[in-house]
């Protein structure tokens, strides 16, 4: 078997590999016959009188036939070899169990196969499964075909000389019947890197590009290595070996031995995988275990030996921190359940007092027995490092074996051992570091001046605030005036008198002029320190850079002034808009009677002056003896909305006197909104009522349709098309017609009547129809009832027109 052997091609026979060359089934004979037949056809070509060209073609055909015949023979030989190895293994078991010779064992195997009515391979697989009781046997326990496939793959793999041959055998014997087309065997390297130890189904160029995956590159196999579990992958996701068709799938499973992940087995399918049953998972786990046992020597688990252990012990003893050398303690299944303490270095067992009485870390003992608290996070990390080889480091980790309870912890794997090292966190040093960070973030520098020796001590942050180098001579507090802005001399003088003369706590804000010419706003606080007899011993204090705070306060003051000015202008603008709106549409409860119509209007302005909008209504008798009815709403609030309302309302009145229909009026009004009114947008409804015929013609521009109340029922007029005013220059408007009857009531309104934040508009319209259909003694009562019970919550303007036909 060679390392460049490929998996069975798609056109190969679908019969099981171990039966392809069985006697009596025509396997070998058919292959020879096919080759001979093709050779014969080539011979016929030679006999033609078509010259040397035809003879050359015949030679090529005979050569191709010969190559194909030899390839098939080689494949059958490999299958027969794998099956023969399994049968020989079963014979060996019978030799030992029956205490008989080779001939008797072969005869017994044939007898068992004949009585059971199965092939010798199936009987051989059952015998090996019964003796081995391993994962391969468990995976094929309920399926003889699976059992034979896995045992055949095992036999081929055990006879292989490298992992490449193992991958080819695995694909040929066990994976192709499952529909898989490619397999990769990855070997784990230090730092969670991966190297391609064997492959089948991938081209050599693809394998060359993936020969090594460095640490930190996330691949499907890398995920299984770090997470230590089987993972099913669907479709294209992480970068991976092989370019599968869209919708293809793959599975990756760690190859584990004695608790260590030696590598990852990756299997690829060209199609989406169905829900994976436990049966299939057991087969894949068995294949992974098989690959783990046959992985090449450089990646095989290290056998504990004195030299390897002595080297890690020497390393632990050379460390200046406490260290333990641990080795996995395995259960009957080969899984680690604890870690045995192989060595304790001098920093623990020596004279430094680090061997805690609560945790007697004695060499030869088990870690969880000596330190039960390790059963949590530490033990999980130990398992992960031991399995994957990826180092673990953590700062300020809660750690019971530390004298302070907090330590920097490091875990590294060396061969089959794990080195646990920790460094205690000194509380004083930790607090000092915390204080240094706080001073840096708050831009605070501290100082102390001895009144006895005259020595001045600054911390590093104070040198930085002054713009000086750490080796420069500190500046005494009494010389503070020399480094401050001249305008701050008086304030600094009062501060120094309070601290140095009156000997009391004091603080002052000033401008520090640094040697580099930069001026910073500073605040300094200081207090005297007295000895036992009341003698002044020192003055200590702190500086803080408050430049950003100062400029923030300046900006806030400017912003407050600007905001006050803006509020005054906004209030004046809102008052003007409200006055303009009330001058044109006072909130009146008046009614009018004209041409047999009883018309009532309501206008409810916004409660807040800054929300004054552009709602309008209009009801007027035209010179043509028709009645114009309209409502509208200009987008926005304030003076601009109120001004736009005036323009559109007056324009609508003027355009209606031309005698044009509602659709034409809307078309003209759209041009006004688009070109003559600063491109405002608005919604509107325009209706013309003809008293002699009682026909109402109407058009809309993005507005809600009118409501018709007839015989106690309310409904919206059929919707006609019409976009917003001012939105499009080439807008077209449709016109609707409705024949009114005596006792009909027509309602027109703006959306401020029904809008709510917690419901959609359709819900609000349905609620309006319900309220409008209630009984009302008069038209005015009906409008008042609508304003009361249509509980809108947007605080927008509202216009409402009611028309009743007598």
């Amino acid at each position: 078997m060679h390392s460049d052997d490929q998996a069975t091609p798609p056109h190969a026979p679908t019969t099981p590999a171990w039966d392809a060359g069985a006697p009596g089934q025509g396997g070998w004979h058919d292959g020879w016959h096919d080759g001979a037949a093709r050779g014969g056809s080539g011979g016929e070509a030679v006999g033609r009188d078509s010259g040397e060209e035809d003879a050359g073609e015949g030679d090529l055909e005979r050569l191709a036939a010969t190559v194909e015949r030899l390839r098939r023979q080689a494949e059958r030989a490999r299958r027969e070899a794998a099956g023969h190895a399994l049968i020989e293994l079963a014979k060996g078991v019978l030799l030992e169990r029956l205490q008989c010779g080779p001939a008797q064992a072969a005869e017994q195997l044939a007898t068992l196969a004949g009585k059971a009515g199965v092939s010798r391979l199936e009987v051989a697989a059952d015998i090996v499964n019964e003796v081995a009781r391993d994962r391969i046997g468990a995976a094929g326990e309920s399926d003889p075909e699976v059992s034979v496939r896995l045992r055949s793959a095992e036999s081929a793999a055990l006879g292989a000389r490298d992992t490449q041959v193992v991958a080819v055998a695995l694909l040929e014997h066990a994976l192709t019947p499952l529909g898989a087309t490619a397999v990769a065997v990855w070997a784990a390297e230090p730092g969670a890197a991966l190297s391609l130890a064997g492959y089948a189904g991938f081209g050599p160029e693809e394998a060359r590009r993936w020969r090594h995956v460095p640490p930190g590159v996330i691949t499907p196999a890398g995920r299984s290595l770090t997470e230590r579990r089987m993972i099913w992958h669907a479709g294209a996701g992480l970068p991976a070996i092989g370019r599968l068709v869209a919708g293809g799938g793959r599975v990756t499973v760690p190859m584990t031995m004695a608790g260590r992940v030696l590598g990852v087995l990756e299997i690829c399918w060209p199609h989406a995988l169905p829900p994976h049953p436990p049966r299939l998972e057991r087969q894949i786990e068995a294949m992974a275990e098989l690959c783990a046992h046959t992985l090449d020597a450089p990646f095989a688990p290290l056998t504990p030996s004195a030299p390897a252990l002595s080297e890690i012990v020497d390393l632990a003893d050379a460390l200046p921190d406490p260290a333990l050398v641990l080795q996995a303690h395995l259960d009957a299944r080969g899984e680690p359940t604890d870690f045995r303490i192989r060595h304790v270095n001098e920093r623990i067992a020596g004279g430094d007092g680090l061997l805690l009485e609560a945790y007697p870390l004695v060499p030869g003992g088990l870690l969880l027995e000596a330190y039960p608290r390790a059963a949590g996070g530490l033990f999980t990390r130990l398992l992960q490092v031991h399995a994957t080889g990826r180092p673990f480091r953590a700062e300020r980790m809660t750690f019971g074996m530390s004298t302070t309870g907090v330590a920097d912890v490091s875990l590294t794997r060396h061969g089959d051992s794990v080195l646990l090292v920790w460094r205690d966190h000194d509380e004083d040093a930790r607090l000092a570091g915390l204080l240094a960070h706080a001073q840096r973030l708050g831009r605070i520098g501290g100082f102390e001046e001895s009144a006895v020796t005259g020595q001045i001590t600054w911390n590093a942050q104070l040198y930085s605030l002054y713009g000086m180098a750490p080796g420069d001579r500190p500046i005494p507090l009494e010389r503070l005036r020399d480094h401050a802005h001249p305008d701050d001399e008086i304030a600094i003088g009062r501060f120094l008198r309070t601290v140095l003369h009156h000997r009391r706590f004091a603080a002052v804000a000033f401008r520090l002029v640094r040697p580099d010419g930069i001026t910073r706003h500073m605040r300094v606080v200081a207090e005297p320190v007295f000895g036992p007899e009341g003698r002044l011993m020192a003055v200590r204090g702190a500086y803080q850079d408050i430049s950003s705070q100062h400029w923030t306060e300046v900006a806030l003051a400017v912003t407050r002034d600007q905001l006050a000015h803006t509020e005054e202008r906004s209030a004046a603008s809102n008052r003007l808009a409200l006055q303009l709106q009330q001058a044109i549409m006072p909130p009146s409860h008046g009614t009018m009677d004209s041409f047999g119509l009883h018309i009532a209007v309501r206008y409810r302005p916004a409660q807040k002056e800054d929300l004054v909008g552009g709602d309008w209504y209009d009801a007027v008798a035209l010179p043509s003896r028709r009645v114009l009815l309209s409502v509208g709403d200009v987008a926005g609030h304030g003076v601009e909305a109120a001004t736009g309302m005036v323009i559109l309302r007056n324009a609508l009145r003027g355009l209606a006197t031309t005698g044009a229909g509602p659709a034409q009026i809307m078309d003209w009004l759209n041009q006004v909104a688009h070109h003559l009114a600063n491109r405002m947008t608005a919604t509107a409804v325009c209706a013309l009522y003809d008293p002699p015929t009682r026909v109402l013609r109407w058009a809309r521009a993005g507005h809600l349709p009118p409501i018709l109340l007839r015989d106690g029922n309310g409904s919206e007029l059929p919707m006609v098309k019409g976009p917003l005013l001012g939105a499009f220059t080439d807008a077209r408007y449709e016109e609707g017609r409705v024949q009114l009857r005596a006792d009909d009531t027509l309602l027109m309104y703006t959306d401020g009547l029904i809008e709510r934040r917690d419901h959609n508009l359709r819900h609000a319209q349905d609620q309006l129809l319900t309220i409008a259909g209630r009984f009302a003694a008069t038209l005015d009562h009906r409008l008042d009832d609508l304003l009361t019970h249509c509980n809108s919550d947007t605080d927008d303007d509202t216009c409402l027109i009611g028309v009743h036909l007598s």
Side-chain angles (χ1 to χ4, degrees):
M1 186 179 291
H2 299 284
S3 60
D4 59 349
D5 289 339
Q6 298 298 314
T8 305
H11 61 268
T14 57
T15 55
W18 53 86
D19 288 338
Q25 297 186 11
W28 180 86
H29 176 74
D30 290 345
W32 176 87
H33 179 75
D34 292 344
R38 280 189 289 270
S41 64
E44 293 174 4
V46 174
R48 296 173 185 170
D49 295 330
S50 43
E52 295 182 359
E53 183 178 353
D54 289 342
E57 291 179 358
D59 291 341
L60 289 176
E61 290 180 1
R62 283 195 300 274
L63 178 60
T66 302
V67 171
E68 177 66 16
R69 175 170 54 82
L70 293 176
R71 186 188 65 79
R72 291 190 178 187
Q73 289 178 355
E75 289 179 359
R76 291 190 183 94
R78 283 197 297 269
R79 298 189 190 105
E80 291 173 358
H84 180 73
L86 179 58
I87 290 174
E88 292 300 317
L89 185 60
K91 288 181 182 178
V93 174
L94 293 177
L95 283 172
E96 190 275 332
R97 290 295 176 91
L98 301 179
Q99 298 295 313
C100 62
Q104 290 81 1
E107 182 179 353
Q108 181 66 20
L109 185 64
T111 301
L112 292 174
K115 289 182 179 181
V118 296
S119 67
R120 290 192 304 160
L121 279 173
E122 292 183 40
V123 175
D126 287 340
I127 292 174
V128 175
N129 289 343
E130 180 66 26
V131 175
R133 298 186 180 276
D134 56 3
R135 185 169 289 179
I136 294 178
E141 185 176 3
S142 59
D143 193 335
E145 183 179 349
V146 172
S147 180
V148 171
R149 283 206 309 263
L150 293 176
R151 287 301 178 190
S152 297
E154 180 186 38
S155 299
L158 292 175
R161 61 181 178 274
D162 56 33
T163 307
Q164 174 62 30
V165 179
V166 172
V168 173
L170 195 65
L171 180 63
E172 178 182 353
H173 292 285
L175 294 176
T176 299
L178 298 178
T181 55
V183 62
V185 181
W186 300 95
E189 293 185 339
L194 291 169
S195 64
L196 188 61
Y199 67 92
F202 302 113
E205 180 63 24
E206 182 76 4
R208 187 189 64 79
R209 292 193 304 110
W210 285 89
R211 66 183 182 277
H212 178 73
V213 179
V217 177
I218 302 177
T219 63
R223 280 191 58 195
S224 280
L225 176 66
T226 55
E227 298 179 22
R228 293 183 296 152
R229 64 184 179 92
M230 181 187 297
I231 303 177
W232 295 82
H233 311 268
L238 298 173
I241 186 173
R243 298 178 179 177
L244 301 182
V245 297
R250 67 180 71 215
V251 62
T252 53
V253 58
M255 301 186 301
T256 306
M257 181 179 293
R260 290 182 54 195
V261 180
L262 304 182
V264 177
L265 176 65
E266 184 169 358
I267 307 169
C268 304
W269 283 264
H271 51 74
L273 299 175
H276 31 281
R279 248 179 84 191
L280 181 58
E281 290 193 349
R282 288 196 297 269
Q283 293 181 48
I284 294 173
E285 288 172 349
M287 298 178 207
E289 183 176 4
L290 172 62
C291 288
H293 283 285
T294 58
L295 200 61
D296 287 347
F299 310 106
L302 296 178
T303 302
S305 59
L309 183 59
S310 64
E311 290 177 5
I312 189 65
V313 166
D314 291 342
L315 174 61
D317 286 339
L319 295 174
D321 300 309
L324 295 177
V325 178
L326 306 171
Q327 285 183 338
H329 178 68
L330 308 179
D331 60 11
R333 297 179 303 170
E335 297 295 330
T337 58
D338 203 342
F339 285 86
R340 191 166 298 281
I341 303 171
R342 290 300 184 188
H343 182 69
V344 178
N345 76 346
E346 291 295 326
R347 289 285 291 131
I348 300 176
D352 295 330
L354 293 179
L355 184 58
L356 305 182
E357 294 181 1
Y359 305 115
L361 304 176
V362 179
L366 294 176
L367 180 66
L368 293 182
E369 292 180 0
Y371 179 42
R373 293 175 61 182
L378 178 62
F379 187 73
T380 301
R381 298 295 184 182
L382 280 168
L383 288 175
Q384 185 175 7
V385 172
H386 174 262
T388 66
R390 174 176 287 185
F392 168 77
R393 293 179 180 83
E395 295 183 358
R396 292 190 293 275
M397 179 178 174
T398 302
F399 192 66
M401 285 189 286
S402 167
T403 56
T404 62
V406 179
D408 294 340
V409 178
S410 170
L411 298 172
T412 53
R413 190 179 76 184
H414 304 266
D416 64 339
S417 302
V418 177
L419 180 63
L420 167 61
V421 184
W422 70 90
R423 175 171 295 178
D424 295 342
H425 256 277
D426 181 70
E427 189 66 16
D428 292 339
R430 190 173 70 87
L431 292 177
L434 182 64
L435 178 60
H437 286 301
Q439 290 177 338
R440 177 180 55 83
L441 294 173
R443 299 188 62 80
I444 299 173
F447 69 91
E448 182 176 278
E449 297 184 9
S450 173
V452 179
T453 63
Q455 181 180 1
I456 302 174
T457 303
W458 281 9
N459 68 355
Q461 185 61 32
L462 187 52
Y463 282 102
S464 176
L465 293 180
Y466 262 86
M468 298 167 56
D472 294 342
R473 184 175 181 180
I475 298 169
L477 187 63
E478 61 181 1
R479 309 305 307 172
L480 184 59
R481 292 188 187 90
D482 298 342
H483 300 271
H485 194 279
D487 294 345
D488 297 329
E489 286 188 4
I490 297 176
I492 292 175
R494 286 197 297 265
F495 164 75
L496 294 176
R497 282 196 302 274
T498 302
V499 175
L500 301 179
H501 179 68
H502 299 292
R503 298 183 179 179
R504 296 197 303 267
F505 170 86
V508 66
F510 68 100
R511 284 163 289 181
L512 175 68
V513 181
R514 304 194 332 179
D516 54 11
I518 297 175
T519 300
R520 306 294 296 176
H521 289 263
M522 307 289 290
R523 184 173 184 269
V524 59
V525 296
E527 65 176 2
V529 179
F530 300 100
E533 300 177 355
R535 179 185 176 187
L536 179 66
M537 302 298 296
V539 175
R540 62 189 175 196
Y543 289 79
Q544 183 178 18
D545 188 341
I546 58 172
S547 300
S548 58
Q549 177 183 347
H550 169 78
W551 292 117
T552 299
E553 292 175 353
V554 171
L556 286 175
V558 173
T559 302
R560 280 194 295 268
D561 293 342
Q562 293 176 344
L563 182 60
H565 179 64
T566 301
E567 288 177 348
E568 290 177 2
R569 292 180 57 188
S570 177
S573 176
N574 290 334
R575 285 195 299 272
L576 176 61
L578 185 60
Q579 291 168 2
L580 179 61
Q581 192 178 56
Q582 291 176 348
I584 295 176
M585 292 183 305
S588 170
H589 284 67
T591 58
M592 61 178 287
D593 294 295
S594 178
F595 303 106
L597 298 178
H598 181 66
I599 303 175
V601 297
R602 294 291 186 272
Y603 172 65
R604 181 177 63 192
Q607 295 181 8
K608 297 180 180 179
E609 291 185 357
D610 59 342
L611 293 179
V612 173
D615 290 24
W616 87 80
Y617 65 86
D618 203 2
V620 61
L622 300 174
S624 62
R625 300 185 63 80
R626 294 173 181 170
V627 178
L628 170 67
L629 303 169
S630 70
V631 294
D633 184 3
V634 176
H637 297 89
V639 173
E640 290 186 1
T643 304
M645 174 268 293
V646 174
I647 294 173
L648 293 184
R649 184 173 182 269
N650 292 339
L652 181 58
R653 274 195 175 190
L655 294 171
T657 61
T658 63
Q664 181 62 60
I665 293 174
M666 281 297 185
D667 187 30
W668 290 336
L669 195 62
N670 178 62
Q671 301 300 322
V672 172
H674 192 81
H675 296 290
L676 303 179
N678 296 326
R679 296 179 63 87
M680 71 176 65
T681 58
T683 65
V685 171
C686 170
L688 293 175
Y689 175 70
D690 185 33
T693 62
R694 290 190 173 181
V695 172
L696 181 78
R697 299 162 59 198
W698 69 288
R700 59 178 285 275
H703 203 87
L704 299 173
I707 292 176
L708 177 63
L709 301 178
R710 177 177 290 173
D711 300 330
N713 296 318
S715 62
E716 295 178 342
L717 295 186
M719 188 72 74
V720 294
K721 294 182 180 179
L724 288 170
L725 295 174
F728 308 100
T729 56
D730 56 349
R732 293 293 179 264
Y733 298 89
E734 293 182 355
E735 185 175 295
R737 297 170 65 92
V738 60
Q739 180 68 55
L740 300 180
R741 301 198 303 242
D743 206 34
D744 282 352
T745 298
L746 189 72
L747 300 175
M748 301 168 64
Y749 61 96
T750 59
D751 57 7
L753 178 68
I754 62 173
E755 275 189 329
R756 288 191 61 82
R757 298 181 179 89
D758 56 350
H759 292 297
N760 58 35
L761 192 58
R762 182 67 261 171
H763 180 275
Q765 289 175 267
D766 293 340
Q767 187 179 29
L768 173 61
L769 289 173
T770 301
I771 298 172
R774 297 176 183 173
F775 171 78
T778 65
L779 180 61
D780 291 284
H781 289 169
R782 187 180 300 280
L783 299 190
D784 291 338
D785 187 55
L786 288 171
L787 287 177
T788 301
H789 296 287
C790 290
N791 55 343
S792 63
D793 63 357
T794 58
D795 193 24
D796 199 1
D797 290 9
T798 300
C799 290
L800 179 61
I801 295 179
V803 180
H804 182 74
L805 277 69
S806 56

